[in-house]
Amino acid sequence: MITLITAAAVSAAPVGLLAHRQLRRRRAAAELRIDTPNGVAESGFVRIGGIDQWIEIRGEDLANPVLLELHGGPGVTNTYFANRTRAWERHFTIVRWDMRGAGKTFGHGEQGAVTFDQLLTDAVEVTRYVHRRLGTDKVVLLANSFGSVLGLRLARSHSELYSAYVGTDQNIAGGERDDIAFHALVRRLRSGGKRSAAAKLEQIGPDPTTWSAADWGLHAKLASSVDPFIAAMIKKLILPAMWFSPQHRLRDLKAGADGMKFSERIGVESVHFDAWREGTRFELPFFIFQGEQDSLTPVARARRYFDDVQAPHKEFALITDATHFASFWQPAQFLELLLTRVRPLVVEADDRAET
């Protein structure tokens, strides 16, 4: 979906730029330091689904509720954004997992079976690992973009594992097909002088269930390229977060780019997931916090599904001045939603369970 830093770009970086990167990375590492008495800051490979997968656990107080993130892409690790969400760690213990095909898990070696169903199986195993490691019965499931497709199924089929579901950049596949966005994208490409790209898009057609992995990747790339909000987000958020991340070496950035390309095979599988056919009844609190200007996972479609959801508690909110990757573009605004809408409900449920 987003063109990442390539090996060629990295190797061509001038010495001065690399020195500046090192300085910024040292500062960022200092910001990430956790030294509170009951805090946790650990990371490493855990055996999940027969392969080693990267998991990070961070928070200032282990007594806080636990948030397990499901990243997007597929293949786009959330660990790049640790500095953006540092404030979250004062109120939650954050668990970030690089799925097979993504980030450090991809860079580590053999990926085994890489399918949508395998990611679901892995996610359940990761959740149970987090329960054991942190001594908790349930965690908040926070899913963004592609991860929210996985998240819906997990929340429905394994509600016993989670205290709440929070979707952002909520991706709603299936239901009645809507070709409006596809044809609007073709028109934007033509009006922007990208006639060849428009022709390629028309050739693959508007029905995503007929696309190959390469078709899916092409559509995602073109959809990102014509949206000025996404272009700004890539320039001001994605690339700096990657380049200055204290947790990622140059070879990790290369692996991230390669993993994203590799994971297109999972992306094309996800379009066959029909959210409505799977069901709209959830046995846990259900939240969607969506960027108000998101063109990749539009508000209207997420809202339409939300309106059909039946849950013991549900809330929908817009994140202002935000497109895709809304939680990382507006981390303070997103944290406010977590603190005022999600955390009280989760803490209250924990208190009831203890009594």
Side-chain angles (χ1 to χ4, degrees):
M1 184 172 63
I2 298 166
T3 303
L4 302 180
I5 297 174
T6 64
V10 168
S11 63
V15 173
L17 181 60
L18 293 176
H20 175 65
R21 176 177 182 265
Q22 289 301 100
L23 176 62
R24 290 282 299 271
R25 289 178 75 228
R26 284 197 294 271
R27 291 175 181 170
E31 292 171 2
L32 287 180
R33 191 173 300 119
I34 291 177
D35 52 14
T36 51
N38 200 33
V40 59
E42 63 182 46
S43 59
F45 290 102
V46 178
R47 198 72 176 173
I48 300 291
I51 68 168
D52 292 339
Q53 303 198 38
W54 184 262
I55 296 176
E56 295 184 358
I57 304 176
R58 295 180 48 81
E60 293 190 3
D61 188 346
L62 284 166
N64 283 329
V66 179
L67 276 177
L68 169 60
E69 293 189 356
L70 298 181
H71 65 69
V76 181
T77 172
N78 282 358
T79 55
Y80 293 132
F81 306 108
N83 286 84
R84 295 284 297 181
T85 56
R86 178 65 180 85
W88 298 10
E89 296 166 2
R90 301 188 191 108
H91 311 279
F92 297 92
T93 297
I94 309 295
V95 180
R96 291 195 166 120
W97 158 48
D98 286 0
M99 301 177 195
R100 61 179 74 211
K104 293 189 178 183
T105 298
F106 180 78
H108 191 61
E110 177 59 40
Q111 300 301 289
V114 183
T115 65
F116 189 82
D117 286 344
Q118 183 61 55
L119 291 188
L120 284 165
T121 301
D122 288 351
V124 172
E125 192 173 341
V126 167
T127 303
R128 288 179 172 145
Y129 165 78
V130 172
H131 285 184
R132 294 192 304 272
R133 172 65 189 87
L134 298 178
T136 183
D137 293 330
K138 294 188 177 184
V139 301
V140 177
L141 186 61
L142 173 55
N144 69 282
S145 196
F146 166 77
S148 69
V149 183
L150 290 168
L152 289 181
R153 184 175 287 184
L154 284 170
R156 286 194 68 257
S157 59
H158 292 283
S159 60
E160 76 282 0
L161 300 178
Y162 305 106
S163 54
Y165 172 77
V166 181
T168 185
D169 313 323
Q170 181 66 55
N171 193 332
I172 302 297
E176 190 173 324
R177 209 174 90 204
D178 184 354
D179 297 343
I180 294 175
F182 178 88
H183 293 301
L185 174 56
V186 171
R187 288 195 299 272
R188 286 199 299 273
L189 288 168
R190 289 194 183 283
S191 64
K194 301 179 179 179
R195 296 185 177 277
S196 176
K200 288 180 182 178
L201 201 59
E202 287 181 313
Q203 187 173 8
I204 69 173
D207 182 359
T209 63
T210 66
W211 294 349
S212 67
D215 294 337
W216 183 90
L218 175 65
H219 177 269
K221 177 182 177 181
L222 294 176
S224 300
S225 70
V226 299
D227 188 320
F229 292 103
I230 291 177
M233 184 255 306
I234 293 172
K235 181 179 179 181
K236 296 179 181 180
L237 170 64
I238 305 292
L239 293 180
M242 292 169 53
W243 186 245
F244 297 120
S245 169
Q247 305 178 88
H248 296 86
R249 296 164 296 179
L250 295 180
R251 68 183 183 185
D252 293 326
L253 300 184
K254 171 64 165 55
D258 293 343
M260 195 169 177
K261 181 68 175 175
F262 173 87
S263 295
E264 287 178 356
R265 66 189 69 185
I266 315 170
V268 75
E269 275 192 70
S270 70
V271 303
H272 297 278
F273 177 91
D274 189 316
W276 278 275
R277 191 185 306 137
E278 291 268 333
T280 56
R281 183 171 184 81
F282 293 81
E283 302 301 327
L284 75 176
F286 185 93
F287 301 85
I288 292 180
F289 303 147
Q290 202 81 344
E292 66 174 355
Q293 299 176 55
D294 193 337
S295 63
L296 297 180
T297 51
V299 169
R301 191 166 180 80
R303 180 79 211 201
R304 193 156 65 245
Y305 180 78
F306 174 86
D307 288 343
D308 289 340
V309 164
Q310 299 174 44
H313 181 99
K314 69 174 188 175
E315 294 189 46
F316 188 99
L318 293 179
I319 303 171
T320 58
D321 190 28
T323 177
H324 211 62
F325 281 76
S327 60
F328 303 126
W329 183 251
Q330 296 286 5
Q333 195 177 145
F334 195 83
L335 175 59
E336 182 67 14
L337 290 170
L338 290 174
L339 291 178
T340 58
R341 305 199 183 198
V342 181
R343 195 178 192 279
L345 211 64
V346 170
V347 170
E348 181 183 348
D350 285 346
D351 289 345
R352 286 200 306 269
E354 289 178 5
T355 58

